[in-house]
Amino acid sequence: MARAAVVDLDGTVLRGETLIPGARDAMADIRAATERVLFVTNNPTVPPGAYAARLRGLGVEATAAEIVTAGAATVAYLRANHADAAVYPIAGEPVVAQLRDGDVSLTDDPAAADAVVAGYDESFGYADLVAALRALDGREGVAFVGTDPDRAIPSEDGPIPGSGAIVRAVAGVTGREPDVVLGKPSRETAEIVLERLGVPASECIVVGDNPATDIAFGESVGMTTVRVRTGVADADGPEPDHVVASLADAVSLFEASHGPSDDSQE
């Protein structure tokens, strides 16, 4: 049996501010069937404590320690690898606030930056591309960090551009690929998750809607992978071990033997 569950949030448990039907009871059943649960999300805009409060308000048990966000992973990466860097954020205030709260040193002068962080920003525009050029073009040694790779993210009204779209825009204008993109499926985020779980990856099941992030994340470290059909409708990525309609339909996999089965594929 699986000892731990790694569960995506947006598109798997939540759609916008709303619980996906059946998710509340499914999470209670998954908790009952496992030793450990972690929610792992590529949303960099909401800190773990706020996510936990949102879930509890919707009737889903959660603590801040059980949530790993792309924002938290970005802060951890910067503190470990660029502790003394002056960071220029090309991201919205929710991301910037988490960098600030994480004691990341910020600068409002792109030409003085030692590192650039690109992430979700609803007001992203031409001025941000200019700033990216000032910070990165021809300036060797300046780190380029993306919060997460999600090109599009689900909302109550349909898909909207995510952080990955902004990371790609910055990469395009500067002609430079990011040094690292946090969130799933990055190795850096996988290390945070496995350390927090304290359970071998082979004894974990990851459930998510996006093959390019959730399924690739689980496959890269040897977790059993389950894709739900409640979020991203069509995305390239590794084939999951199981495909189910929703999180509620994934519960039986935690109660059964650990591993793929031929009749679960679609």
Side-chain angles (χ1 to χ4, degrees):
M1 294 177 65
R3 293 176 58 194
V6 176
V7 183
D8 174 53
L9 282 171
D10 298 288
T12 301
V13 177
L14 301 168
R15 187 177 294 112
E17 300 291 324
T18 305
L19 271 182
I20 289 172
R24 182 187 296 111
D25 290 343
M27 283 310 310
D29 291 340
I30 289 170
R31 279 192 180 276
T34 58
E35 299 173 16
R36 296 281 288 147
V37 169
L38 276 188
F39 299 98
V40 184
T41 174
N42 274 5
N43 185 340
T45 66
V46 182
Y51 245 131
R54 179 188 298 179
L55 288 170
R56 290 195 301 270
L58 293 169
V60 176
E61 181 183 346
T63 67
E66 292 178 326
I67 298 176
V68 176
T69 70
T74 300
V75 169
Y77 175 83
L78 290 169
R79 288 175 60 85
N81 296 278
H82 302 284
D84 300 321
V87 175
Y88 184 83
I90 300 177
E93 179 56 28
V95 176
V96 175
Q98 290 180 75
L99 296 175
R100 189 183 301 115
D101 291 345
D103 293 327
V104 173
S105 178
L106 301 177
T107 179
D108 57 7
D109 180 3
D114 302 309
V116 171
V117 171
Y120 183 79
D121 185 1
E122 291 180 353
S123 62
F124 177 79
Y126 188 80
D128 294 299
L129 296 178
V130 173
L133 282 171
R134 299 289 183 270
L136 293 167
D137 190 45
R139 299 187 66 226
E140 294 185 8
V142 179
F144 175 16
V145 178
T147 61
D148 65 275
D150 284 13
R151 175 188 58 81
I153 55 177
S155 77
E156 294 179 358
D157 299 320
I160 58 175
S163 300
I166 293 171
V167 174
R168 297 314 309 163
V170 172
V173 76
T174 62
R176 176 179 165 183
E177 291 300 307
D179 299 300
V180 64
V181 179
L182 280 305
K184 298 169 287 187
S186 76
R187 187 71 195 183
E188 293 79 6
T189 300
E191 290 171 357
I192 293 171
V193 168
L194 289 171
E195 180 179 359
R196 197 169 296 186
L197 282 173
V199 171
S202 61
E203 297 179 16
C204 302
I205 295 178
V206 58
V207 185
D209 64 302
N210 192 332
T213 55
D214 304 314
I215 305 307
F217 170 84
E219 182 182 84
S220 72
V221 292
M223 296 180 182
T224 296
T225 57
V226 181
R227 184 185 181 192
V228 295
R229 295 290 196 185
T230 50
V232 173
D234 187 22
D236 294 330
E239 286 294 319
D241 295 317
H242 304 270
V243 179
V244 295
S246 69
L247 186 62
D249 298 297
V251 171
S252 62
L253 298 172
F254 289 89
E255 300 168 340
S257 60
H258 184 99
S261 62
D262 292 340
D263 60 2
S264 66
Q265 297 271 2
E266 286 186 7

